[in-house]
Amino acid sequence: MNKKLLPNLILAGGLIFVAVFAEFLTPLDPYAQDLEGALTPPNSVNLLGTDRYGRDVLSRVIIGSQTTLCAALLLLLTISIFGSLIGAICGYKGGKLDTFLMRVSDIFLAFPQMVFAVAVAGILGGGLFNAAAALAIIGWTKYARISRSLALTIRTLPYIDAAKMAGTSSAGILFFHVLPNIAGPVLVTAALDIGTIIMELAGLSFLGLGAMPPTAEWGAMMNNGRSMLQTAPWVILAPGFAIFITVAIFNLLGDKLRDVFDSRNKD
């Protein structure tokens, strides 16, 4: 394993570990209300203070990682697999199917992604699932374009001709020769895209189009605390800092993965 990549993998793995086992890592019940202790500053019991309902902010940030990060990873997995498969089929097979699907992707790419997602999420209604669906509708196009361009190159290579002469079916060539060879660039794109998806999901929740109360989600937490920035800044700064750290870690991971898979940086 590349030594330069290891620290980034450890940090990203640590975030995923926290998200998966968040329920066991919260020091207090993230949904327990205590109105008498509302907006308490950080102290020995509530390390990051409490919100307007007296809920422990640290516990809500930790459990919010499960909501935000797991939703982002599931969305990324969906759009990267679907988009890559569509792009690989179009690039390898060509023809009318390629023309039709690429024109569809052109239509989606004509809209600013976040503006389109806000419009779709507004039509579908609030909820984290609807917010993720809104981003998925337009998010797959990037992976389809990348996979198609790589498949167009791969299908002309000698080993593809050799596979055809050996009697390998088109489906076999696609799944055993084309898709494995586009996995590297798609993985790099996905790693760089995690941060963007996290911010988009948090942005939709901040606008009231994502996670609904009382669900602990970083964007929704910032929305609930925006009016208390001067009086109780910890309510909005804690989830904001969590978003910043998470996005930074995954962006650094994406940069290192790009260095690993970029043949120009290899000896």
Side-chain angles (χ1 to χ4, degrees):
M1 180 181 291
N2 190 295
K3 292 183 179 180
K4 295 181 179 179
L5 183 61
L6 186 59
N8 300 94
L9 286 174
I10 292 175
L11 290 174
L15 287 175
I16 295 174
F17 176 85
V18 170
V20 172
F21 297 100
E23 295 178 356
F24 304 100
L25 299 176
T26 53
L28 298 170
D29 185 348
Y31 296 105
Q33 299 185 14
D34 179 15
L35 296 180
E36 292 183 358
L39 300 180
T40 301
N43 55 72
S44 58
V45 177
N46 307 108
L47 297 180
L48 294 181
T50 61
D51 63 8
R52 67 173 68 191
Y53 300 108
R55 298 173 298 193
D56 183 56
V57 173
L58 175 59
S59 298
R60 288 183 64 78
V61 168
I62 293 175
I63 203 69
S65 68
Q66 188 174 75
T67 306
T68 303
L69 192 55
C70 290
L73 291 175
L74 287 173
L75 173 59
L76 181 66
L77 185 66
T78 301
I79 62 175
S80 60
I81 292 177
F82 178 77
S84 298
L85 186 58
I86 291 295
I89 293 173
C90 290
Y92 178 71
K93 299 294 291 184
K96 294 182 179 180
L97 179 63
D98 177 31
T99 302
F100 172 75
L101 290 176
M102 289 305 101
R103 296 299 77 78
V104 171
S105 70
D106 288 340
I107 293 173
F108 285 121
L109 289 172
F111 296 94
Q113 182 165 329
M114 193 59 182
V115 175
F116 183 87
V118 168
V120 174
I123 294 172
L124 295 177
L128 191 60
F129 178 82
N130 289 340
L135 292 173
I137 289 173
I138 194 172
W140 65 273
T141 54
K142 176 193 301 184
Y143 296 92
R145 283 291 180 180
I146 293 172
S147 301
R148 177 180 180 273
S149 64
L150 294 170
L152 285 172
T153 301
I154 291 173
R155 73 178 186 179
T156 63
L157 297 179
Y159 69 84
I160 298 296
D161 294 330
K164 290 179 180 178
M165 294 177 63
T168 306
S169 65
S170 296
I173 293 175
L174 183 65
F175 282 98
F176 295 107
H177 297 287
V178 177
L179 288 175
N181 284 286
I182 68 176
V186 169
L187 179 61
V188 172
T189 303
L192 290 170
D193 219 16
I194 295 177
T196 301
I197 291 176
I198 289 174
M199 289 191 294
E200 288 174 343
L201 284 172
L204 290 174
S205 295
F206 183 82
L207 295 173
L209 298 172
M212 294 288 103
T215 302
E217 196 275 338
W218 292 339
M221 291 173 64
M222 293 185 69
N223 179 39
N224 292 331
R226 72 184 189 279
S227 61
M228 297 174 285
L229 182 59
Q230 294 182 334
T231 57
W234 57 86
V235 177
I236 190 171
L237 292 179
F241 188 71
I243 293 174
F244 170 77
I245 291 296
T246 303
V247 171
I249 287 175
F250 281 108
N251 282 347
L252 289 172
L253 176 61
D255 287 337
K256 293 299 182 181
L257 283 172
R258 180 171 54 192
D259 293 340
V260 170
F261 284 104
D262 191 347
S263 59
R264 293 173 298 179
N265 293 335
K266 294 182 180 180
D267 295 332

